[in-house]
Amino acid sequence: MHHRITRHAASVLAALVLLLEPAGAGSARAADNPAQVVEEQRIDDRTLDLTVSSPEIDAPVKVRLLLPPAWSKTATRTWPVLWLLHGGPGDHTDWTANTHIEELAAPRDVLVVLPQTSPCSGYSDWYNTGSGGPPAWETYLVDEMRPLLESGYRAGTVRAVAGLSMGGLGAMKLAAMHPGMFRAVASYSGAVSTLHLSLDGGLSGPDLVKGAGGACHTDWRRIWGEPGFPYDTLDPADVRQRGVWERNDPVHQAAGLTGTALYVSYGDGTDAGTGWQWGEPPASPTRCTNPLRHGTERVEALIHGMNQDLLLRLAQLGIPAAVCSYQGVHAWPYWERELVSSFPMLMAAIGA
């Protein structure tokens, strides 16, 4: 476990410093949907990878589907859906490569959707110096991928969404910006306060975005522009593109989460070990010790502050959430533990 922790934390910190079955062109394309599935690859009996071409994205992207029992494209019924969003760096294979999500979902009547974005997508439509245009990840996921799966792959309209790190940002943001689209949301070490300001010399929210731009070899300002004061200037009147940042910030959009079942988990930056492994019952609630101060692992220390921002805002709005704040770092063993712990809540919300 310790090797996986070190490798993943190193990759995130580096970013901070810096059997084929072709589908016909119209076979998985809604009449008014400009995106289309251009290739299907059956990985195994329960795993199907799609390649999607979209005018909102610069190049074709993958979507992995974990299929429920008795699923077929010609079935007369639909299935409830769980979106699982990757972090950055990451892609559509991350959850299956690093967790036991296939076994976890196998007995459930659920279609699991694992979309690929980019290491710096932010699950957002990019600002691009005010001109917009590709990549428009939010538009792609909500207005193109979603109806593609509903029209061609028997995805239903009852959904939940979960994600880790950048994917936690995406899960909370998409649910808040599209109220009613998801019945439940889970965030694992989510970057859920993009404008978080560190008061102790640690990383602030914009530092993650700047690092993500380096991971994508692009100017980070393309994503949401510049946040302005107090991050890039000492002038309180210089807000630059702060409105774009706020639109993509779950803390500022939290009111949209009203009526949605929420699960929020995060560590403090201290590697205390998970005290759990796959195959055991869900971890004891005693792991949720609610550390008031963060540890020394810089990424999760930032995540700790971000999630405290979100929970404060939810409390102000009177929006309840199931919360597990624990001693831990930014690593897969903790996220799998929290996925297993939150899975019954997610499945109950969608009836799966």
Side-chain angles (χ1 to χ4, degrees):
M1 181 186 79
H2 199 66
H3 173 71
R4 294 170 72 188
I5 290 171
T6 303
R7 183 173 59 188
H8 189 277
S11 69
V12 175
L13 287 172
L16 286 169
V17 177
L18 291 172
L19 326 224
L20 290 175
E21 297 175 4
S27 62
R29 180 177 187 170
D32 57 350
N33 191 343
Q36 62 180 314
V37 175
V38 296
E39 183 178 83
E40 297 178 357
Q41 183 178 10
R42 197 66 178 250
I43 305 301
D44 56 41
D45 288 346
R46 299 287 297 279
T47 308
L48 177 64
D49 280 3
L50 311 178
T51 302
V52 180
S53 175
S54 163
E56 304 296 343
I57 309 301
D58 299 314
V61 289
K62 298 285 190 177
V63 181
R64 173 159 290 185
L65 304 181
L66 302 183
L67 307 173
W71 177 92
S72 80
K73 290 176 68 173
T74 58
T76 57
R77 60 160 292 187
T78 61
W79 279 264
V81 178
L82 171 65
W83 291 14
L84 270 182
L85 308 183
H86 66 77
D91 62 22
H92 63 295
T93 67
D94 266 20
W95 282 101
T96 51
N98 293 286
T99 74
H100 295 80
I101 180 58
E102 302 102 313
E103 294 97 319
L104 189 62
R108 300 284 190 165
D109 205 29
V110 62
L111 175 65
V112 182
V113 176
L114 304 102
Q116 175 189 19
T117 64
S118 78
C120 58
S121 72
Y123 293 90
S124 302
D125 293 355
W126 281 22
Y127 175 68
N128 282 329
T129 66
S131 61
W137 293 106
E138 182 176 349
T139 295
Y140 159 69
L141 292 167
V142 172
D143 296 335
E144 295 181 351
M145 184 197 76
R146 178 185 57 81
L148 273 181
L149 299 180
E150 290 171 3
S151 65
Y153 297 89
R154 311 312 296 151
T157 58
V158 177
R159 309 173 202 89
V161 60
L164 67 93
S165 194
M166 182 182 73
L169 159 68
M172 287 290 177
K173 184 185 88 80
L174 292 175
M177 292 301 299
H178 304 275
M181 180 171 289
F182 301 100
R183 294 191 178 183
V185 185
S187 169
Y188 317 116
S189 296
V192 293
S193 178
T194 62
L195 289 166
H196 173 75
L197 180 64
S198 173
L199 301 178
D200 62 5
L203 298 169
S204 290
D207 292 319
L208 277 185
V209 179
K210 294 174 182 180
C216 284
H217 307 290
T218 193
D219 184 346
W220 63 272
R221 298 169 184 85
R222 290 185 59 204
I223 303 172
W224 299 326
E226 297 179 84
F229 179 83
Y231 312 95
D232 301 315
T233 174
L234 298 178
D235 181 2
D238 186 358
V239 297
R240 304 190 190 184
Q241 289 78 48
R242 189 181 183 93
V244 181
W245 283 72
E246 291 178 353
R247 186 203 178 276
N248 290 285
D249 178 29
V251 172
H252 283 82
Q253 303 302 326
L257 296 170
T258 301
T260 304
L262 303 178
Y263 185 92
V264 180
S265 67
Y266 58 97
D268 68 342
T270 302
D271 188 5
T274 64
W276 176 90
Q277 61 183 359
W278 170 255
E280 296 178 350
S284 168
T286 58
R287 75 191 186 283
C288 308
T289 56
N290 191 28
L292 297 180
R293 297 172 182 249
H294 64 71
T296 58
E297 197 261 287
R298 297 181 75 207
V299 175
E300 199 70 6
L302 168 58
I303 295 297
H304 182 266
M306 287 180 156
N307 280 270
Q308 289 183 323
D309 291 349
L310 178 62
L311 293 176
L312 175 60
R313 183 58 180 149
L314 292 174
Q316 291 170 343
L317 294 169
I319 298 174
V323 180
C324 184
S325 173
Y326 54 83
Q327 287 189 311
V329 293
H330 209 67
W332 277 104
Y334 294 94
W335 302 328
E336 178 167 42
R337 184 189 68 184
E338 297 308 309
L339 170 67
V340 170
S341 295
S342 62
F343 207 69
M345 179 273 281
L346 294 169
M347 295 298 97
I350 59 177

